[in-house]
């Protein structure tokens, strides 16, 4: 089968698609992955094309003033989305796949699949498309609304209206396209989330599949020798906020290192896209600073992980059997912080604007009591076969 995979977003949005592409290619399918530029994910060995957008630039003003956000939309977000939507259509037409598998942000994917007469499958990296009464749409509402939870999912469908003109402009290259034409529903919705972290809602339709996390464990990632040496030196925590960069990275770095030292822990500090930095006065042999590491290799053996609560990081930490302290910034991150706390895998999330040494020190105390539960959940997640489950569903469409 010829499979076109289209994804958009930061590293956490790209890595699951890369894992699915590798699994499908290993089983003899012809797979092409279209992804943003410089996503920070390992795409080696894959047939890839770029989508002419760099999401680090698009999300560069998180937490900025409303006026800055408007200006950023006009100068970066709007033009970037237009390029991406058009590139997705162009690259899919060129490949002529038998099935299109896409991220929800790739809003032109359903129309190009329809034009080619092939099914499309949407991947809910965040469970915010399929309505349920059991929880509100993550990233839309941060508290349970009971019977009104289902209504919050209407907001996630608003993106199509916001970018309607850009979608129409991108789809003008499709044969026979008309702006008022309805697109088909997805043949399936794949939710690459572990049921250990989010049980399947009872009111989801049969076409929505909770597959388990998409993790490719064919190869064990290698750590940089300096990092490996540091991790062998004693008890440590891992701290990183991925693509989150709003606020004061030095203040956050101070809080992390001082709280770790209060517990006799060393710190592997991952600066990511700039969300963490180490004040010069706190340098020492008990802190190692690097932009990123393969978390699958760096987390086992850690006492805990301090992170932003992105879905990909949540699953990697949980799979490693390590407790969490979640410092959410935006989108679905508060949802995951609350969910991990509810499951006994983390203390209550610490909002990033309230992060202090004192609050983080107290949160670490509670996180360390979650170690046994984290280890048990990690064992269960490592038994899942989410990639193969997802691939089997795609092949049956």
């Amino acid at each position: 089968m010829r499979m076109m995979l289209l994804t958009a977003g930061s590293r956490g949005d790209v890595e699951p698609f890369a894992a699915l592409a590798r699994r499908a290619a290993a089983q003899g399918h012809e797979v092409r992955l279209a992804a943003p530029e410089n996503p920070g994910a390992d795409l080696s060995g894959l047939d890839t094309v770029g989508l002419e957008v760099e999401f680090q630039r698009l999300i560069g003003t998180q937490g900025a003033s409303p006026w800055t956000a408007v200006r950023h939309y006009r100068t970066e977000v709007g033009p970037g989305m237009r390029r991406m939507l058009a590139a997705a259509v162009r690259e899919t037409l060129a490949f002529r796949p038998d099935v299109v598998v896409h991220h929800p942000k790739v809003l032109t994917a359903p129309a190009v699949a329809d034009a080619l007469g092939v099914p499309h499958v949407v991947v809910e990296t965040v469970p915010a498309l399929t309505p349920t009464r059991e929880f509100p749409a993550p990233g839309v509402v941060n508290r349970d609304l009971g019977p009104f939870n289902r209504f919050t999912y209407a907001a996630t469908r608003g993106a199509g209206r916001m970018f309607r003109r850009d979608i129409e402009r991108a789809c003008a290259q499709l044969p026979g396209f008309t702006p008022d034409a309805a697109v088909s529903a997805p043949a399936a919705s794949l939710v690459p989330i572990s049921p250990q972290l989010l049980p399947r809602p009872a009111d989801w339709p049969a076409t929505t599949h909770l597959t388990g996390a998409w993790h490719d464990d064919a190869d064990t990632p290698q750590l940089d020798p300096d990092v490996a040496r540091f991790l062998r030196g004693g008890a440590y925590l891992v701290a990183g906020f991925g693509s989150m960069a709003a606020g004061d990275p030095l203040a956050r770095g101070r809080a992390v290192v001082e709280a770790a030292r209060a517990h006799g822990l060393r710190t592997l500090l991952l600066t990511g896209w700039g969300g963490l930095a180490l004040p010069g006065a706190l340098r020492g042999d008990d802190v190692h600073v690097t932009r990123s590491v393969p978390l699958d290799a760096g987390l086992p053996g850690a006492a805990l992980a301090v992170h932003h609560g992105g879905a990909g990081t949540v699953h990697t930490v949980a799979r490693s059997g390590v407790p969490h302290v979640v410092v959410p910034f935006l989108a679905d991150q508060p949802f995951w912080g609350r969910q991990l706390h509810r499951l006994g895998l983390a203390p209550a999330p610490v909002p990033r604007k309230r992060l202090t040494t004192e609050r983080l020190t107290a949160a670490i105390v509670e996180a360390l009591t979650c170690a046994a539960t984290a280890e048990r959940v990690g064992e269960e997640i490592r038994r899942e076969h989410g990639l193969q489950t997802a691939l089997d569903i795609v092949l049956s469409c």
Side-chain angles (χ1 to χ4, degrees):
M1 179 177 280
R2 289 170 66 84
M3 300 172 57
M4 186 73 186
L5 275 55
L6 299 155
T7 188
S10 59
R11 180 175 180 171
D13 297 290
V14 177
E15 285 183 332
F17 279 80
L20 182 62
R22 285 196 173 91
R23 176 61 62 94
Q27 295 183 14
H29 301 285
E30 191 173 351
V31 187
R32 180 164 293 171
L33 172 62
E37 314 296 333
N38 304 313
D42 178 14
L43 305 182
S44 59
L46 296 173
D47 177 5
T48 61
V49 291
L51 288 180
E52 301 184 11
V53 62
E54 188 171 350
F55 269 79
Q56 185 170 359
R57 293 177 63 87
L58 264 61
I59 64 176
T61 59
Q62 304 156 18
S65 71
W67 296 114
T68 302
V70 169
R71 184 169 62 251
H72 186 64
Y73 179 88
R74 290 175 178 170
T75 60
E76 295 289 350
V77 177
M81 286 294 290
R82 282 193 286 276
R83 292 193 305 272
M84 182 195 74
L85 295 174
V89 172
R90 185 174 62 253
E91 295 294 349
T92 306
L93 285 175
F95 188 60
R96 302 197 68 81
D98 300 310
V99 64
V100 175
V101 182
H102 66 98
H103 190 286
K105 287 190 181 83
V106 187
L107 298 164
T108 49
V112 70
D114 286 353
L116 292 171
V118 301
H120 67 98
V121 175
V122 65
V123 179
E124 294 189 51
T125 51
V126 176
L129 289 183
T130 305
T132 177
R133 297 182 190 87
E134 296 188 17
F135 52 83
V140 175
V141 175
N142 286 327
R143 62 188 182 90
D144 194 301
L145 299 179
F148 298 103
N149 281 337
R150 290 182 64 89
F151 296 106
T152 65
Y153 291 80
T156 65
R157 296 190 291 271
R161 294 188 292 273
M162 180 185 302
F163 294 101
R164 179 177 59 83
R165 291 183 180 176
D166 298 324
I167 295 169
E168 292 175 357
R169 186 181 295 112
C171 290
Q173 59 191 298
L174 295 175
F177 174 78
T178 56
D180 56 349
V183 296
S184 63
S189 293
L190 306 180
V191 185
I193 289 173
S194 170
Q196 296 297 319
L197 301 184
L198 185 71
R200 188 185 195 280
D203 55 352
W204 271 3
T207 52
T208 298
H209 305 270
L210 191 71
T211 64
W214 295 3
H215 178 78
D216 187 357
D217 51 11
D219 297 310
T220 302
Q222 297 297 311
L223 287 171
D224 177 88
D226 288 341
V227 175
R229 220 169 6 253
F230 176 80
L231 298 188
R232 291 194 296 267
Y236 65 95
L237 63 77
V238 178
F241 297 125
S243 60
M244 301 296 104
D248 186 345
L250 286 169
R252 283 195 291 269
R254 177 178 296 279
V256 167
V257 172
E258 290 181 343
R261 286 174 175 168
H263 290 281
L265 296 171
R266 299 150 72 250
T267 303
L268 178 60
L269 198 73
L270 309 179
T271 59
W273 286 7
L276 274 176
L278 179 65
L282 295 182
R283 295 184 185 279
D285 293 341
D286 62 340
V287 182
H288 187 88
V289 181
T290 186
R291 181 173 183 180
S292 66
V293 299
L295 287 179
D296 287 329
L299 279 166
L304 70 144
V306 181
H307 61 88
H308 57 299
T313 304
V314 164
H315 277 81
T316 304
V317 175
R319 189 177 186 279
S320 299
V322 172
H324 315 241
V325 173
V326 177
V327 182
F329 285 60
L330 45 75
D332 59 320
Q333 296 161 14
F335 169 83
W336 285 114
R338 293 192 306 274
Q339 186 68 7
L340 293 171
H341 179 50
R342 189 177 298 118
L343 295 170
L345 297 171
V350 181
R352 60 111 176 159
K353 291 185 178 179
R354 299 181 185 176
L355 182 65
T356 62
T357 298
E358 293 73 25
R359 283 195 174 94
L360 187 53
T361 300
I364 290 174
V365 171
E366 188 174 346
L368 293 174
T369 69
C370 300
T373 302
E375 184 177 356
R376 175 184 57 77
V377 169
E379 290 174 356
E380 294 296 329
I381 293 176
R382 290 192 293 273
R383 293 192 183 104
E384 295 174 2
H385 302 285
L387 272 178
Q388 191 59 49
T389 298
L391 181 56
D392 290 344
I393 293 167
V394 171
L395 296 175
S396 69
C397 290

